[in-house]
Amino acid sequence: MTKKPIKVLLLFLLLVFSGCSAKLADKKESFEGKGIDYTIQLPSTWETVTDFKVKYSNEAVFGAQDTKSNSTLVVMSERKEAITLDEGFGKRMRKELKEQYNYEKESEIFMKEFKVGKYKGYKYTLDTMFEKRSTWLHLYYIETAHGLLQLNYYSANDGGHEKRAEIIDESARSVKEVSDSGNDTSAETDEVVFENETLSIHLTGVMNLNGEDNKKLLALRYTVKNIGEQEITAKVWDEAIQVTQNGQTLTEGKLPKENTILDIPKLIEQKSEAITIGASAESVSLYELEDTSEVTLVPSKERFPEADEIPIIITTAAEEGDK
């Protein structure tokens, strides 16, 4: 008569211990962004990946993935002098996230301010899609001595999400700045900018995707800044930059209707929105690839008379969520 209760008790203890087993890895991972060296401790079941630029953005500086769930980390970085990190930063970002992720009210986005040592941190939780899966995005902005990190933890919407959220929070808060060279080395090697007296176009991301009818696409993400005297739109990219492969102009690509990868649909919509004087806007253009050979960005000589053609290497990897 006593065996059954003992088995139940043992099972309960196993469940309790397994639920509390999440911990950070002992090893610290290192990465560099904008000339600043950082370390971070990942959850123990996570491992680093090398394709984060292809899967997310050319601006990404570090990536990792959970081996036990469909959860992903992508890290972006910026130097503090390049941003406005004032008392209104947290609320300002919450407002931008509301627009970017199509929330009706800012209050629907969880927001928390905290400290990492003497520096500020901000956490937002959003219900979104990543790699065609329903996902919780735990988005952190964490200040360091010389930089600001954006950590995007895409946590699978499954039964282990709540416990995973706790260890993700520990991981984000483990970030530390180790050293600063004082030089934005990534800008020297990766930055692509086309500029004249009225506008500046900055290429910020290059991604391979599978499009409609399984066609191979190249997504080019960019920021357009209006430095002229009248409103413009991000459509200026399509008017001013020709994208060629093997000497042929590439045609516009389209994502499958059911695709909601990252924020690409929103960025496409933003292409037609007015950019006021002094303001900036992000957008993206999609192109059907002929093969895996090099692609060339050909700037308009009328708009950018001194700009050079820019070669873009095509990787063979495609965004997994679109396969």
Side-chain angles (χ1 to χ4, degrees):
M1 295 294 292
T2 60
K3 291 183 179 179
K4 187 173 181 180
I6 291 174
K7 288 181 179 179
V8 172
L9 177 60
L10 289 173
L11 177 60
F12 174 76
L13 290 173
L14 286 172
L15 289 173
V16 169
F17 285 127
S18 63
C20 298
S21 61
K23 63 178 184 178
L24 292 181
D26 294 329
K27 177 186 175 184
K28 293 181 180 180
E29 303 294 342
S30 302
F31 62 92
E32 182 270 339
K34 305 292 186 180
I36 304 171
D37 293 316
Y38 299 95
T39 61
I40 187 173
Q41 286 177 272
L42 296 173
S44 60
T45 61
W46 293 50
E47 58 185 23
T48 59
V49 295
T50 58
D51 60 348
F52 51 87
K53 287 185 181 289
V54 174
K55 297 185 68 173
Y56 192 87
S57 167
N58 198 46
E59 290 289 289
V61 297
F62 180 76
Q65 196 163 21
D66 188 7
T67 61
K68 302 295 185 181
S69 71
N70 292 314
S71 302
T72 300
L73 165 64
V74 181
V75 180
M76 317 282 278
S77 72
E78 190 51 86
R79 297 191 65 85
K80 263 199 311 200
E81 60 263 28
I83 56 176
T84 304
L85 191 59
D86 54 16
E87 289 301 320
F89 177 85
K91 291 182 178 179
R92 189 165 64 249
M93 291 309 305
R94 196 183 197 185
K95 182 177 180 180
E96 290 185 14
L97 291 170
K98 167 188 168 291
E99 299 297 326
Q100 184 175 348
Y101 289 90
N102 297 314
Y103 276 80
E104 291 186 7
K105 301 177 182 177
E106 293 173 31
S107 59
E108 294 175 337
I109 300 175
F110 172 83
M111 173 183 168
K112 181 178 182 180
E113 296 187 26
F114 57 93
K115 290 276 191 179
V116 178
K118 64 179 181 179
Y119 298 109
K120 297 177 182 177
Y122 304 87
K123 177 186 178 180
Y124 307 87
T125 299
L126 303 106
D127 185 3
T128 185
M129 299 286 290
F130 185 70
E131 299 182 345
K132 294 180 69 175
R133 303 182 183 96
S134 176
T135 304
W136 291 103
L137 168 57
H138 298 293
L139 173 58
Y140 294 83
Y141 290 97
I142 296 181
E143 177 191 11
T144 66
H146 301 94
L148 181 73
L149 289 176
Q150 175 184 331
L151 299 97
N152 303 272
Y153 288 88
Y154 293 93
S155 178
N157 191 355
D158 57 21
H161 166 69
E162 290 187 8
K163 182 59 65 174
R164 190 181 308 116
E166 295 177 11
I167 195 64
I168 281 175
D169 198 63
E170 289 185 42
S171 174
R173 292 167 186 256
S174 75
V175 164
K176 288 183 175 57
E177 178 180 323
V178 178
S179 63
D180 174 29
S181 68
N183 297 314
D184 184 350
T185 54
S186 59
E188 294 174 8
T189 57
D190 296 332
E191 192 170 50
V192 175
V193 179
F194 301 103
E195 189 171 20
N196 59 27
E197 68 279 1
T198 62
L199 61 93
S200 173
I201 304 176
H202 180 196
L203 180 68
T204 59
V206 179
M207 181 185 293
N208 294 77
L209 304 172
N210 283 330
E212 221 171 42
D213 301 323
N214 208 34
K215 291 181 179 178
K216 303 301 180 185
L217 302 184
L218 177 69
L220 298 179
R221 181 169 177 162
Y222 48 87
T223 298
V224 178
K225 183 174 183 179
N226 185 353
I227 55 178
E229 298 180 352
Q230 59 185 4
E231 290 185 348
I232 59 175
T233 69
K235 284 184 178 179
V236 69
W237 169 279
D238 298 322
E239 299 164 1
I241 309 297
Q242 183 184 24
V243 182
T244 68
Q245 189 175 44
N246 302 317
Q248 300 296 316
T249 301
L250 295 181
T251 59
E252 180 184 3
K254 294 183 179 180
L255 289 176
K257 291 182 179 179
E258 69 277 9
N259 189 291
T260 54
I261 173 177
L262 300 178
D263 51 358
I264 286 182
K266 177 66 176 177
L267 290 172
I268 292 174
E269 289 179 14
Q270 290 177 182
K271 192 177 290 190
S272 300
E273 296 176 2
I275 306 173
T276 57
I277 298 170
S280 300
E282 280 193 291
S283 191
V284 66
S285 290
L286 308 179
Y287 302 90
E288 289 186 10
L289 291 170
E290 299 293 333
D291 49 43
T292 59
S293 61
E294 185 177 272
V295 163
T296 303
L297 306 185
V298 184
S300 165
K301 287 300 179 183
E302 182 179 351
R303 289 180 180 267
F304 308 107
E306 299 182 4
D308 296 324
E309 296 183 359
I310 304 294
I312 302 290
I313 304 274
I314 302 300
T315 63
T316 56
E319 170 54 50
E320 295 176 0
D322 291 319
K323 293 180 180 177

